[in-house]
Amino acid sequence: MKGSTWKCLIPPLAMDEPNRLRVVVSFPGNLIDAQQAARAFHERSALAAFVTGLVLNQGTIKWFGAPLPKRLRERLTKELARRAVTLVPPDVVVSHPWLDVLRTSLSRVTTNPIYADLAWDLMSHRFDRHVAQRHLDGIHAVHAFEYTARSTFEQARRRGIATILGMPSTDSKEFDEIKKREELRFPELRTEHHRYFASRFTPRYERRRAEIDLADVIVANSEVTKRSHVRNGTDPGKIVVVPLGAPPPITAITKAPPNVHEPLSVIWAGTLSVRKGAHYFINAWRMLRGRIHASAVVYGSVDLPERILRPIPEGLEIIGSIPQQDLFGAFEKADVLVFPTLADGFGLVITEAFSRGLPAITTEEAGGSALVEHGRNGLIVPAADSDALVEALRWCLDNRDALYQMRFGALETAKRWQWIDYRRMMVEKVSQGLSKSGCTVDFGPEIGSEVS
């Protein structure tokens, strides 16, 4: 807290007291970064608790699916598995589920985004207060995430507890400016809910800035994220960069070499939104309609006005969200991922695609683009440029053999940077960052990765 006399009270960790240092990790949703952070501290015998929202264990998932026909049961099981916590032992998981259930339900049953947004905002504030009031006793550090950390960090500061802020997103003011720019270029992007969201921007931005000021260390997921926040006033000295890891990769490429008589198979994975540059992709596909032998499938929710989408261009199919296991299977069969984002702190879909040997077309506005070597495991195109997307897709069609060879580069990249590498670097960088802020920290040796 600026101007305070706060002093870190973390004691040195003696080698003969491996459980002395205690850390709470908190996040109300199923963000993979949060589970991986909790796992990182668990592997050092330092995790006191992982506080989260809705959690469904395997027994509960089976109970829900038991009365259903096999096909529906399998589908439901995959969906509910998204809310399982599998990376840390169940005895350190604390669940505050009800507001999370409300938010998730509203996002599924209503087309009006205001209701889901109100529930998200209420959930974020309530969850933050729960952590501040109930989960800081007897701990030395708390690792919370953007927009769910202010009350927690204020209370932690009063107690001399170190504060670690997970930062998965670029500065929200920068994206707000991008969004305004896009609405000037494409007036049809502005929705009837514009005034509601505009009225809430300033207090939400101020909340995020307060969390940044209260943090001793900020863990950014990419250099893109770090640069964005530094440009907007964050002290670069307290930001550490730890790139997100790739899921366990396939052992080998199984897709057959390309058949020029088959259409180029393009995948979009994730929300079809302005942030992701979806309107540029839709425009590019319209420009290509009937000119290339290709098909595209969108796996993800739609967050674009109907007037942008309709009519859906020929050769483009919108499936909606599917379980991760099914998406990974689709990655293995496709030829290329398209991810033309305008602003993404990382873009985990890049490493997920790479883990299945799928090359990616993306922009430098994705933090994960640091892993993309143009022409070796993917292609980098300018953001906000439909013509560039058209040219990249045409190149893919005209160079099917070269595109196929990129699969091997993509898979190799995923194998080089796994989640275990992320966890080790995170603990190392957090230790260094806390030491800079005056905390004497030694998390001790890694004790193993087994989860009971």
Side-chain angles (χ1 to χ4, degrees):
M1 187 179 298
K2 290 182 178 178
S4 74
T5 57
W6 172 87
K7 182 179 179 182
C8 173
L9 300 180
I10 293 183
L13 179 66
M15 295 301 293
D16 60 346
E17 296 181 87
N19 292 307
R20 188 178 178 191
L21 190 133
R22 293 167 60 79
V23 182
V24 161
V25 177
S26 67
F27 185 74
N30 59 345
L31 183 73
I32 186 63
D33 313 25
Q35 276 205 57
Q36 292 291 347
R39 173 90 173 234
F41 293 118
H42 168 69
E43 289 171 345
R44 305 297 177 116
S45 290
L47 182 66
F50 175 47
V51 188
T52 186
L54 174 65
V55 175
L56 296 174
N57 58 38
Q58 290 302 315
T60 304
I61 293 171
K62 288 180 180 179
W63 182 84
F64 272 115
L68 302 174
K70 181 180 179 182
R71 198 166 185 178
L72 185 57
R73 181 171 67 248
E74 290 175 351
R75 172 76 181 184
L76 181 66
T77 298
K78 289 177 181 177
E79 287 285 345
L80 295 179
R82 298 182 184 192
R83 303 316 300 259
V85 173
T86 59
L87 296 181
V88 294
D91 62 336
V92 296
V93 178
V94 180
S95 173
H96 293 285
W98 300 114
L99 286 171
D100 195 7
V101 170
L102 174 63
R103 176 194 63 83
T104 303
S105 301
L106 284 172
S107 66
R108 295 292 180 94
V109 302
T110 179
T111 57
N112 188 332
I114 289 177
Y115 298 123
D117 179 80
L118 287 169
W120 166 79
D121 201 57
L122 176 64
M123 175 197 70
S124 300
H125 288 66
R126 288 282 183 87
F127 177 84
D128 184 17
R129 289 196 293 270
H130 282 322
V131 176
Q133 294 165 3
R134 305 180 187 181
H135 299 292
L136 299 184
D137 291 340
I139 70 164
H140 307 105
V142 58
H143 186 308
F145 285 77
E146 176 193 28
Y147 207 72
T148 58
R150 183 173 183 172
S151 296
T152 298
F153 284 1
E154 287 172 344
Q155 184 62 232
R157 281 282 176 137
R158 296 185 190 105
R159 299 188 183 197
I161 295 168
T163 52
I164 307 161
L165 180 64
M167 186 60 71
S169 306
T170 55
D171 183 84
S172 54
K173 185 177 287 184
E174 285 196 357
F175 177 67
D176 189 58
E177 291 169 356
I178 290 171
K179 188 169 180 290
K180 289 175 180 175
R181 178 196 74 195
E182 294 303 310
E183 289 176 350
L184 284 174
R185 291 181 181 176
F186 306 92
E188 59 271 30
L189 287 173
R190 179 170 288 198
T191 72
E192 69 229 62
H193 312 298
H194 167 76
R195 289 190 177 183
Y196 165 83
F197 287 101
S199 69
R200 279 151 179 78
F201 177 80
T202 298
R204 290 177 177 181
Y205 187 74
E206 290 173 351
R207 179 180 177 84
R208 290 181 170 100
R209 293 303 309 176
E211 291 172 338
I212 287 170
D213 289 342
L214 288 162
D216 296 311
V217 178
I218 299 169
V219 182
N221 52 14
S222 69
E223 289 291 343
V224 167
T225 301
K226 178 179 178 176
R227 288 195 297 268
S228 172
H229 287 280
V230 170
R231 281 193 298 266
N232 288 276
T234 300
D235 176 5
K238 66 179 183 179
I239 304 180
V240 299
V241 175
V242 187
L244 304 185
I250 56 176
T251 55
I253 302 297
T254 57
K255 182 176 171 64
N259 180 342
V260 294
H261 299 294
E262 295 179 354
L264 180 76
S265 175
V266 178
I267 274 190
W268 176 288
T271 307
L272 208 60
S273 66
V274 173
R275 179 185 288 275
K276 309 295 183 185
H279 49 303
Y280 288 102
F281 173 61
I282 297 294
N283 190 38
W285 202 260
R286 287 197 174 107
M287 294 163 67
L288 287 166
R289 184 173 58 184
R291 299 180 188 176
I292 66 169
H293 188 43
S295 63
V297 179
V298 172
Y299 294 107
S301 59
V302 177
D303 191 24
L304 287 177
E306 283 287 311
R307 54 187 174 273
I308 289 283
L309 287 175
R310 306 297 175 187
I312 295 176
E314 179 184 347
L316 178 66
E317 183 180 10
I318 300 176
I319 300 295
S321 298
I322 61 173
Q324 187 183 71
Q325 180 182 339
D326 296 340
L327 179 62
F328 283 7
F331 282 165
E332 291 187 53
K333 296 174 184 176
D335 293 312
V336 68
L337 171 79
V338 175
F339 185 59
T341 182
L342 306 182
D344 254 277
F346 190 83
L348 196 58
V349 68
I350 295 173
T351 52
E352 290 174 341
F354 280 2
S355 76
R356 270 48 216 164
L358 181 66
I361 300 172
T362 191
T363 75
E364 290 186 345
E365 303 308 317
S369 66
L371 300 172
V372 179
E373 300 172 54
H374 187 81
R376 181 178 174 273
N377 57 16
L379 300 173
I380 302 288
V381 298
D385 191 334
S386 294
D387 290 331
L389 277 177
V390 168
E391 290 307 308
L393 289 167
R394 281 179 174 157
W395 184 92
C396 291
L397 187 69
D398 295 340
N399 297 272
R400 300 288 289 273
D401 289 334
L403 180 64
Y404 181 78
Q405 289 303 313
M406 285 187 191
R407 303 186 81 87
F408 299 92
L411 184 57
E412 181 187 338
T413 302
K415 289 178 177 179
R416 282 202 313 263
W417 189 252
Q418 290 283 288
W419 279 114
I420 190 171
D421 303 303
Y422 166 87
R423 296 194 298 269
R424 287 169 176 163
M425 178 182 278
M426 195 208 76
V427 170
E428 177 185 339
K429 291 285 188 77
V430 165
S431 297
Q432 294 170 358
L434 289 176
S435 295
K436 278 186 184 179
S437 70
C439 300
T440 304
V441 179
D442 181 357
F443 284 104
E446 186 176 5
I447 61 162
S449 301
E450 293 300 316
V451 175
S452 57

